Amino acid sequence: EAGVVQSPRYKIIEKKQPVAFWCNPISGHNTLYWYRQNLGQGPELLIRYENEEAVDDSQLPKDRFSAERLKGVDSTLKIQPAELGDSAVYLCASSGAGGYTFGSGTRLTVV
Amino acid sequence: GENVEQHPSTLSVQEGDSAVIKCTYSDSASNYFPWYKQELGKRPQLIIDIRSNVGEKKDQRIAVTLNKTAKHFSLHITETQPEDSAVYFCAAHLGAGRRALTFGSGTRLQVQP
């Protein structure tokens, strides 16, 4: 089993530029999460999907962040435009009967 | 608001000693409490979890205890080893209908050889 796969692993962009992250969850996991982890802190939920439906996006800054999970499998998270404060690790996780599994994350640096 | 508080933020122990990390949660409806270990630059890895119908769970050198009345749970690591050095996060399912985890702020454990 490949686990939760995320790409890219690292991304450096200039402020005001757009950026996108991709996540492929564990096969059969209907629930997918995007978390943001700032340096020295615990992960914070951005959005949760049940299949293709976003059921909890109350913490997603909707003015600049968007996400989609077409067909209820892969998901993308986009930031446009990026700000300096968006620098963080963006973690994707999926859950099923066996519990949560996190991906390796994308480390975003906005300069 | 709903949150999980974790203490201490840093913990240094000598190899072979025990380490205890404590968390409190706000929502009495929470029913699932996992602990994650995160090494530098790596993903959080589940090390142990407990559900609200159980008071204690043990797996080799690690154990978790849950006090539902007081709304706190603790991670116990015995016979610590240098490879236990990492950041540990507690988490809980908070809020009615929410299946997402709310994480504590983390404890950086350093095991001195």
Side-chain angles (χ1 to χ4, degrees):
Chain A
E1 186 176 271
V4 177
V5 179
Q6 288 187 249
S7 68
R9 285 284 283 123
Y10 305 93
K11 190 73 176 180
I12 301 174
I13 62 170
E14 293 183 345
K15 62 182 180 182
K16 300 185 181 179
Q17 294 302 305
V19 64
F21 315 124
W22 175 81
C23 173
N24 180 243
I26 290 177
S27 177
H29 279 191
N30 295 328
T31 309
L32 182 146
Y33 314 79
W34 283 102
Y35 286 87
R36 177 169 58 189
Q37 186 174 24
N38 293 311
L39 188 64
Q41 298 180 21
E44 296 178 328
L45 179 71
L46 291 173
I47 191 168
R48 171 170 69 96
Y49 280 93
E50 292 290 344
N51 298 304
E52 67 274 12
E53 182 181 1
V55 296
D56 184 357
D57 62 356
S58 58
Q59 303 301 314
L60 190 72
K62 299 181 183 63
D63 56 336
R64 298 183 299 107
F65 286 64
S66 64
E68 60 182 12
R69 191 184 185 198
L70 300 177
K71 301 182 180 179
V73 182
D74 294 1
S75 177
T76 56
L77 178 68
K78 299 178 181 178
I79 308 175
Q80 183 172 11
E83 298 178 352
L84 296 176
D86 296 330
S87 296
V89 175
Y90 291 83
L91 291 163
C92 178
S94 67
S95 68
Y100 268 67
T101 301
F102 281 91
S104 297
T106 296
R107 181 176 297 277
L108 174 67
T109 302
V110 182
V111 297
Chain B
E2 298 167 341
N3 67 329
V4 175
E5 294 191 1
Q6 182 171 347
H7 301 281
S9 56
T10 60
L11 180 60
S12 181
V13 299
Q14 292 293 317
E15 182 177 359
D17 287 350
S18 296
V20 180
I21 303 170
K22 300 181 179 181
C23 287
T24 60
Y25 60 97
S26 59
D27 188 345
S28 57
S30 299
N31 58 9
Y32 177 63
F33 308 92
W35 285 89
Y36 287 84
K37 176 183 180 182
Q38 188 174 31
E39 298 177 6
L40 188 63
K42 297 188 177 181
R43 75 188 74 189
Q45 296 269 20
L46 178 69
I47 55 173
I48 196 167
D49 57 11
I50 192 167
R51 297 191 181 274
S52 58
N53 58 346
V54 176
E56 183 175 357
K57 183 176 178 180
K58 189 173 182 179
D59 182 4
Q60 299 183 352
R61 296 186 298 107
I62 60 174
V64 57
T65 58
L66 171 66
N67 184 325
K68 285 188 63 179
T69 302
K71 291 190 286 187
H72 67 70
F73 56 113
S74 301
L75 177 71
H76 305 253
I77 306 175
T78 58
E79 301 172 28
T80 53
Q81 302 167 2
E83 51 266 38
D84 294 330
S85 297
V87 179
Y88 291 80
F89 292 98
C90 62
H93 269 155
L94 292 179
R98 286 174 58 94
R99 292 177 55 196
L101 293 173
T102 298
F103 286 82
S105 54
T107 296
R108 181 172 300 278
L109 173 65
Q110 182 68 42
V111 180
Q112 306 289 345

